[in-house]
Amino acid sequence: MSLQQFMNEAISPWMKEDGPDSDIVMSSRIRLARNFSHYPFPLIASDQTLDEVMEFFEEKFKHQSFRDYKDFEIVKMKDLQPIEKRVLVEKHLVSPHLAEKPEHSGTLISQNEQVSIMINEEDHIRIQLYFPGFQLDKALEQASQLDDWLEEKVDYAFDEKRGYLTSCPTNVGTGMRASVMMHLPALAMTQQINRMTPAINQLGLVVRGIYGEGSEAVGNIFQISNQITLGKSEPDIVEDLHSVVKQLIDQERRAREALVNRSGIQLEDRIFRSYGVLKHSRIIESKEAAKCLSDLRLGIDLGMIDHIPRTILNELMILTQPGFLQQYAKATLTPEERDIRRASLIRERLQLENED
Amino acid sequence: MECQECKKRPATVHLTQVVNGQKTEVHVCEQCAKEKGYMSYGEENFTLNDLLSGLFHSEGSSPFSNQKTQSYQQASQLKCPTCGLTYQEFARIGKFGCASCYQTFDDRINPILRRVHSGNTRHDGKIPKREGGNLHLKREIEDYKSRLKELIEQEEFEHAANIRDKIRTLESQLQQGEGGE
């Protein structure tokens, strides 16, 4: 398979689109946690119950469509090879938690891969919806409609006082986690993000690295999300997140401007060195690749490099992960072999741009 | 003495390593010591779960103490009739077993929810269409009532009378609904 073909299949269609403020915001996501009222939560449910839940979804929702989200495919974790599971995690279509306990779990994925409804995760149901760029309001509106669509068939565990009941007390109430993935190279380079994090935390929001809880900000990509799910309405939570993200966008733009004005040539040097590394290296670790891709993307955003589309960061951050590399190679690879593969995949990808 | 790693901060951590009989001395600052793995802190391995179950235990739920009040002893014997999860298990894993657990442990969970959700204990968001029952109606009435109060304060009595009529209609709807169930 050619790289072009592989990429077309590997990258979700929505990721190739540009959204509002997509020079800084890579994606917006809404996740809703829901449970059946009459089944024990997955943590303690019997195998038989978990199978019943899976069968319910297979019977009622397989190949169904809702508006733009057509032909939901059911993917059972137990039917997948380890590399295939890893690929779904790397595409953020499945949580690592779901992939780890494959016996009775699965997911419904819409054809455009914007929606993934995870089944038997920590909760029976986790509805997840992505939009490119900064589109939290739209994501909330549509996630809520998807939720209504499911509720036509599912008896939700809901309580007047506590709201939507979830297995973990950190999700009860709205069951909603709204998050935004941001590329903040200038705020990271100038260490400003570290100073801003405590203030953001005080507003009930969390700043994390790209792979969620406890992960490092690889490639200057940060995830901002709400911590509180109880006592505030969904639109209020989204509005709070929205206003903080808006400020971060402004700060990042200002920091980029200041960097260009203050140390233009040094910045340009850094960007083109990274471009050189990506273009010519024969062995590259994921951390170095992420750093260089972040620099390259910044160079594209600042207009220093103009023949490469800016979706390259989103694209290559996903394609250069271990699962994808192994799927492309169609073999299990050692970490050393992966570093070699990663370098050649990046070179090949950049080559595609030069041909045009 | 300056830190041998960063050569900036003063060295505050002094170690003697013996590897294969070779003795080396390390003098580093605390920050470099952490980065280079010379020091490890137990609390850094804490997961959110540990923190959560820590919250439960801070309410005093050691199974070995006999000095606890009567109400506490009852709490530790609490067991969800639907899924069988006991309060002690709940405190240990930090997760509920089923929807009924929220009822079973109702009077024990407010402090936990308050800590996790910035003082909040009551839901104020979406209500599901079917499971929500007449909650939509109740919410609507509450909204109108607070509007009514505002209008009276602003002395807009004509408008207020309209709102009052709306509330009456909705309340009679609510009563009919409840009578019918």
Side-chain angles (χ1 to χ4, degrees), chain B residues 1-13 15 17 25-38:
Chain B
M1 190 189 295
E2 68 172 20
C3 168
Q4 66 187 53
E5 287 291 346
C6 64
K7 309 227 169 17
K8 279 184 217 149
R9 291 174 286 263
T12 50
V13 177
L15 306 163
Q17 282 184 322
E25 285 193 339
V26 180
H27 306 281
V28 289
C29 67
E30 204 174 309
Q31 205 162 335
C32 291
K34 262 198 254 177
E35 271 171 29
K36 302 286 165 194
Y38 292 124

Side-chain angles (χ1 to χ4, degrees), chain A residues 153-259:
Chain A
K153 292 183 175 135
V154 182
D155 295 329
Y156 279 159
F158 180 84
D159 177 78
E160 180 170 352
K161 188 161 73 168
R162 309 294 190 194
Y164 291 94
L165 305 178
T166 55
S167 179
C168 187
T170 54
N171 293 316
V172 72
T174 60
M176 181 183 77
R177 194 81 60 211
S179 60
V180 166
M181 202 84 89
M182 307 183 80
H183 182 225
L184 302 173
L187 290 181
M189 254 183 246
T190 54
Q191 310 275 317
Q192 287 181 70
I193 190 74
N194 294 337
R195 277 178 308 209
M196 294 162 90
T197 306
I200 296 172
N201 290 343
Q202 283 192 334
L203 296 168
L205 304 175
V206 206
V207 184
R208 301 195 185 104
I210 180 169
Y211 294 110
E213 234 166 88
S215 69
E216 206 183 326
V218 178
N220 299 322
I221 296 169
F222 295 86
Q223 186 189 315
I224 328 283
S225 57
N226 65 301
Q227 180 82 296
I228 295 163
T229 57
L230 189 64
K232 277 163 99 179
S233 72
E234 290 85 349
D236 285 351
I237 293 170
V238 162
E239 200 184 303
D240 285 352
L241 179 60
H242 193 280
S243 70
V244 166
V245 170
K246 194 97 200 66
Q247 286 183 48
L248 281 170
I249 293 173
D250 291 345
Q251 295 288 338
E252 169 68 20
R253 293 218 172 104
R254 224 169 288 166
R256 285 182 189 186
E257 238 179 79
L259 270 177

Side-chain angles (χ1 to χ4, degrees), chain B residues 116-136:
Chain B
V116 178
H117 298 287
S118 293
N120 299 324
T121 57
R122 289 190 77 93
H123 179 55
D124 192 24
K126 186 175 176 176
I127 300 166
K129 288 206 166 70
R130 289 190 305 118
E131 292 294 311
N134 54 23
L135 259 183
H136 289 279

Side-chain angles (χ1 to χ4, degrees), chain A residues 3 13 22 29 36 63 75 95 108 112 133 139 175 213 225 242 262 330 343:
Chain A
L3 178 65
S22 59
R29 184 191 75 144
F36 282 87
H63 297 311
V75 181
S95 66
L108 282 159
N112 62 8
E213 234 166 88
S225 57
H242 193 280
R262 224 183 24 231
K330 292 200 174 62

Side-chain angles (χ1 to χ4, degrees), chain A residues 23-64:
Chain A
D23 56 330
I24 291 165
V25 180
M26 301 171 74
S27 64
S28 304
R29 184 191 75 144
I30 297 286
R31 184 272 275 153
L32 300 173
R34 298 289 186 257
N35 283 288
F36 282 87
S37 58
H38 56 286
Y39 288 130
F41 298 151
L43 180 71
I44 64 160
S46 66
D47 290 354
Q48 194 197 334
T49 302
L50 294 171
D51 285 339
E52 269 176 52
V53 172
M54 272 297 278
E55 276 162 30
F56 177 90
F57 276 96
E58 189 166 6
E59 195 183 303
K60 307 275 184 190
F61 293 100
K62 188 178 168 185
H63 297 311
Q64 296 296 303

Side-chain angles (χ1 to χ4, degrees), chain A residues 80-99:
Chain A
L80 299 181
Q81 298 298 315
I83 292 178
E84 291 173 310
K85 268 186 274 186
R86 196 154 179 178
V87 161
L88 286 180
V89 173
E90 290 172 2
K91 281 176 100 165
H92 299 281
L93 283 172
V94 153
S95 66
H97 182 81
L98 195 83

Side-chain angles (χ1 to χ4, degrees), chain B residues 17-86:
Chain B
Q17 282 184 322
V18 181
V19 181
N20 294 335
Q22 287 275 337
K23 195 169 128 185
T24 45
E25 285 193 339
V26 180
H27 306 281
V28 289
C29 67
E30 204 174 309
Q31 205 162 335
C32 291
K34 262 198 254 177
E35 271 171 29
K36 302 286 165 194
Y38 292 124
M39 283 164 89
S40 70
Y41 288 106
E43 68 261 27
E44 281 178 356
N45 298 323
F46 253 67
T47 62
L48 183 62
N49 251 349
D50 295 327
L51 277 172
L52 273 180
S53 49
L55 292 180
F56 301 107
H57 291 300
S58 70
E59 291 179 76
S61 51
S62 157
F64 304 109
S65 61
N66 299 318
Q67 307 297 321
K68 296 295 165 195
T69 60
Q70 191 67 29
S71 89
Y72 165 64
Q73 282 182 5
Q74 281 167 356
S76 69
Q77 285 156 17
L78 271 178
K79 185 173 178 176
C80 177
T82 310
C83 70
L85 191 81
T86 65

Side-chain angles (χ1 to χ4, degrees), chain B residues 155-172:
Chain B
E155 303 191 353
E156 294 204 27
F157 298 115
E158 209 172 313
H159 203 153
N162 285 336
I163 300 281
R164 185 205 53 206
D165 292 345
K166 271 187 190 155
I167 294 174
R168 281 191 186 150
T169 320
L170 290 174
E171 275 177 341
S172 71

